[in-house]
Amino acid sequence: MKETPRSYKRAALCDNPFDALWDIRDGRTYFTGPLYYNASHQHGAPVFLASLYGKFRLRLHCGDWLWCRTAVIPAGVLHELDVGGEPITVLYIEPTVAGADAFKPLINNSRALDGALIGNGGEIHFMRDLYEDRYKPDWTTEPLLDLLGYAKRRAHSAVIDPRLTRVVDYLSEHADDLTPVATWARQAGLSPSRFQHLFTEQIGVPFRRYRAWNRMRQAIRKIIRGQNFTTAAHASGFTDSAHFSHEFRKTFGAPATIGLHRLARLQL
């Protein structure tokens, strides 16, 4: 399918083809920067995608490739991306903050497909402005927090069992914790099988996958704070930088060097 011609000129990426923005805090993980191809992968949290200057290709569950401008993909949904080196916003929100429904107000001209929402419009200009203003001294992602607050008020996210909320909140601060599932289940007053079933049902992915997602978020945050890969990997529960790199590719479908090679601006 031929891509729709662009009606405006994209902003220059300066001389840095890996010019990326990161913001990991307040239950969100925000990345905007150039991506190429992300092999089949699934996340531990729902994600909103918005290509800044044109359409990108998306494939769900190894099905047909689709052209789209925006998408909302729930936690646990297998997908591939072909962005062609163009900047794209990738925004995750943690389950105790809101579910995938919180992203629906950010997308329009959309259709549901294989558990995801595929769109041709949405909050693209907003995301592009954040990216193009990245070198301004007063740059901030506070407007992003305001936008998410607006979207959450319009969404109808399901309430998570408070027993699971306590587990998720703890893991967000102690991502390297390796407490066995049986212990968490006992503390929640559930059998291990019931705990895992309820966790998958309400969070969207199995407990171990969500714990791995939190470990990855923690390692990335340490890296964007200035730690090297090895130090960040060890501090987040990975055996070494090779283990971190393997899990990064498994989580995002691309090498860690693509998204973490160069950082234009970051909020901590």
Side-chain angles (χ1 to χ4, degrees), residues 47-261:
V47 62
F48 169 71
L49 303 170
S51 181
L52 304 190
Y53 300 102
K55 292 185 177 182
F56 65 96
R57 294 204 306 159
L58 171 68
R59 183 156 70 169
L60 301 166
H61 301 292
C62 301
D64 294 331
W65 283 101
L66 309 166
W67 285 97
C68 56
R69 194 70 191 275
T70 53
V72 174
I73 303 176
V77 173
L78 279 170
H79 60 286
E80 294 174 64
L81 298 175
D82 182 3
V83 188
E86 293 291 319
I88 186 171
T89 288
V90 184
L91 176 60
Y92 309 90
I93 193 168
E94 295 306 303
T96 52
V97 176
D101 282 351
F103 286 140
K104 289 183 179 179
L106 307 184
I107 186 173
N108 58 41
N109 192 14
S110 63
R111 61 189 176 100
L113 181 67
D114 293 335
L117 201 60
I118 311 301
N120 284 315
E123 293 294 340
I124 297 167
H125 294 286
F126 176 90
M127 300 301 178
R128 188 167 69 240
D129 287 346
L130 277 180
Y131 185 64
E132 293 183 354
D133 289 344
R134 64 196 180 280
Y135 292 111
K136 290 186 177 180
D138 59 347
W139 185 92
T140 177
T141 55
E142 287 305 316
L144 180 62
L145 191 59
D146 293 339
L147 180 69
L148 285 175
Y150 163 78
K152 283 170 56 182
R153 290 191 294 272
R154 297 186 59 190
H156 301 284
S157 297
V159 177
I160 298 175
D161 189 305
R163 294 171 295 184
L164 300 185
T165 298
R166 287 192 290 271
V167 176
V168 171
D169 285 342
Y170 179 84
L171 290 177
S172 68
E173 299 297 328
H174 306 85
D176 57 339
D177 183 274
L178 295 177
T179 301
V181 171
T183 301
W184 286 114
R186 184 168 60 253
Q187 292 177 357
L190 300 168
S191 68
S193 60
R194 177 56 184 161
F195 173 84
Q196 295 195 73
H197 174 81
L198 190 63
F199 196 97
T200 302
E201 179 182 68
Q202 297 200 3
I203 304 303
V205 292
F207 171 78
R208 289 186 178 86
R209 183 175 295 278
Y210 183 75
R211 182 165 59 185
W213 164 249
N214 264 278
R215 188 181 304 132
M216 181 59 63
R217 289 180 72 241
Q218 177 174 289
I220 292 172
R221 187 170 187 182
K222 290 180 180 298
I223 291 169
I224 66 178
R225 281 176 164 175
Q227 293 187 11
N228 61 45
F229 278 36
T230 299
T231 302
H234 283 154
S236 303
F238 297 98
T239 55
D240 51 30
S241 60
H243 182 205
F244 165 75
S245 296
H246 172 79
E247 290 301 315
F248 189 99
R249 185 185 287 271
K250 181 178 177 181
T251 301
F252 298 106
T257 50
I258 295 297
L260 294 170
H261 183 68

Side-chain angles (χ1 to χ4, degrees), residues 13-36:
L13 293 180
C14 301
D15 297 321
N16 179 11
F18 297 104
D19 205 3
L21 293 168
W22 282 95
D23 180 79
I24 303 178
R25 57 173 174 166
D26 300 328
R28 70 176 184 266
T29 301
Y30 163 81
F31 167 88
T32 297
L35 291 180
Y36 291 86

